[in-house]
Structure formats: C-alpha cells, structure tokens
Amino acid sequence: MKHAKVGLLMTDEVVSVTGRTPSTDVASLLVEHDISGMPVLDADERVLGVISRTDLLVQDHLAAQDLMTAPAVTIHAEQTVTEAARLITRRGVTRLPVVDEEERLVGIVTRRDLLRVFLRPDHEIRRVLVEEVLADTMGIGADAVSVGVVDGVVTLDGRLPRSSQIPVALRLAGQLDGVVAVIDRLTAHSNDTRTAPPDRGTEGVPR
C-alpha cells in the first residue's frame, strides 16, 4: 500500500477559499468543517498557498492571501504515498494539496491519511515476515530466526545458512508496510561473500 498512488488516498472534495476571502470567513469555514487548514486558490482554481488556524492569530481583519503560507507545498495524484510522506516530513507540513499538470486543485492528502497507510499491527508484520518473507521467499525455517516486532521496529536474531542472505533478509524486512526500522542481530553458518561484511552493529536499519 505504501507504493500506492496519492490519487487513491486523497480526498477529492476539498474545502478551499480564494485569495480575497476575509479572514473571518476563513475562520468560520475551519470551525464548520472541523479542519485545521485549507488551500487558497486563484480564479482558475490554481493553488496559491495554504491557510491554517495559526495563520489567523492576528488582530487585523485581512484577506486569505495576506495571511496564507505561500507557495504551497503540493503533490500530484500519480506520485506515491511514500513520496507524499517524505514530503510532509521534510517540509514540516500537515497537508498537501493535490494538483494536476496545470497546478489546479484536484484533492488533498493529510498527515493523518498517510499514517493510516503506514500503521500496521505488530503481530501482522511478524506474521508476514515469518511466513511470507523468511519461509516462502527465502526458504528459511522459523527455528532459524527469531522475529520480534515492537511499534513497527523489527528485530531479526538468529543464524542463517549463508552470510549473503543477511542483507537480503534485512532489505525485504525493511520494505514491508508498517516497518519503521530493522535491528540486525543475524549471523551465518558460512561466509559465501568475497569480503567480510561491514560491522552492522545493532543500529536500526531504516527503510
């Protein structure tokens, strides 16, 4: 699911205002729809910026275009939800207006929407790792590796037949939906690599 497109996740009925909308009307819309922010559009429905409740913490009665944060951080419907999550994190925003090729608003995706994609129960992550990744994909029995998952952090502890299987197991585990990091405590019965593997320690291996 984390590789799904933003268009599948976005809300296409977006509450928005124009640049000339008075701040009092903006505040009323935010309360009425119980939202914390919304896009500000021009006459052609192109996104000019985003206005939020914090932008309204001023004494003067101004228009939305005077208070909004601009330019808006936007995304396109064909981009992945992973790209959206990275953009929200990197830019420190809580919502992304979704625009078409001409920068016209077609939807919106929020941090909350993205969290629902990435949140996956620990027991389900462990089941997929044991049954589908280790057993089915890699042919490794459940007795060879102990798999622990706490709050999306996976710990792989055990001994694999070959050292070349270790990075594969780590990579596949890190690619699973809901996995935040992978702690590597794996060893191998035989070293089938040309050079000794680097000291991986027990630090989390990010996705």
Side-chain angles (χ1 to χ4, degrees):
M1 182 62 183
K2 66 183 179 182
H3 302 298
K5 304 301 183 183
V6 168
L8 294 176
L9 192 67
M10 71 181 188
T11 299
D12 53 13
E13 295 183 4
V14 186
V15 179
S16 62
V17 293
T18 67
R20 295 184 178 181
T21 302
S23 59
T24 51
D25 292 347
V26 173
S28 297
L29 284 170
L30 292 175
V31 172
E32 177 185 349
H33 295 277
D34 192 24
I35 54 179
S36 59
M38 66 181 77
V40 181
L41 311 180
D42 66 11
D44 296 319
E45 296 192 345
R46 292 186 176 88
V47 179
L48 297 174
V50 172
I51 190 166
S52 65
R53 291 182 180 182
T54 55
D55 295 324
L56 299 177
L57 299 179
V58 295
Q59 298 301 318
D60 297 328
H61 295 288
L62 302 172
Q65 62 191 7
D66 301 317
L67 300 171
M68 67 184 183
T69 299
V73 182
T74 62
I75 197 165
H76 292 91
E78 64 271 15
Q79 291 181 254
T80 67
V81 296
T82 300
E83 290 176 296
R86 289 172 179 167
L87 189 57
I88 276 182
T89 301
R90 186 169 65 248
R91 299 297 295 272
V93 297
T94 58
R95 64 191 59 79
L96 294 172
V98 184
V99 298
D100 61 15
E101 303 80 18
E102 297 182 1
E103 300 303 311
R104 291 177 300 195
L105 184 71
V106 296
I108 197 164
V109 64
T110 66
R111 184 188 296 271
R112 182 178 299 177
D113 296 329
L114 297 171
L115 281 175
R116 283 198 291 266
V117 172
F118 287 92
L119 290 178
R120 190 178 194 178
D122 289 342
H123 65 84
E124 174 64 11
I125 294 174
R126 185 182 184 281
R127 183 196 68 77
V128 173
L129 272 172
V130 172
E131 298 178 8
E132 300 180 18
V133 174
L134 295 176
D136 295 346
T137 302
M138 300 188 66
I140 298 171
D143 56 342
V145 178
S146 172
V147 178
V149 185
V150 178
D151 294 333
V153 178
V154 173
T155 300
L156 298 179
D157 190 352
R159 180 168 291 187
L160 302 184
R162 301 182 304 279
S163 60
S164 61
Q165 293 176 305
I166 294 177
V168 176
L170 297 176
R171 176 173 55 81
L172 293 177
Q175 290 176 346
L176 285 180
D177 292 353
V179 172
V180 176
V182 181
I183 297 176
D184 173 18
R185 294 178 182 168
L186 295 172
T187 58
H189 288 287
S190 65
N191 184 359
D192 61 344
T193 56
R194 293 180 179 274
T195 58
D199 182 11
R200 298 179 306 273
T202 58
E203 295 297 324
V205 178
R207 285 180 295 176

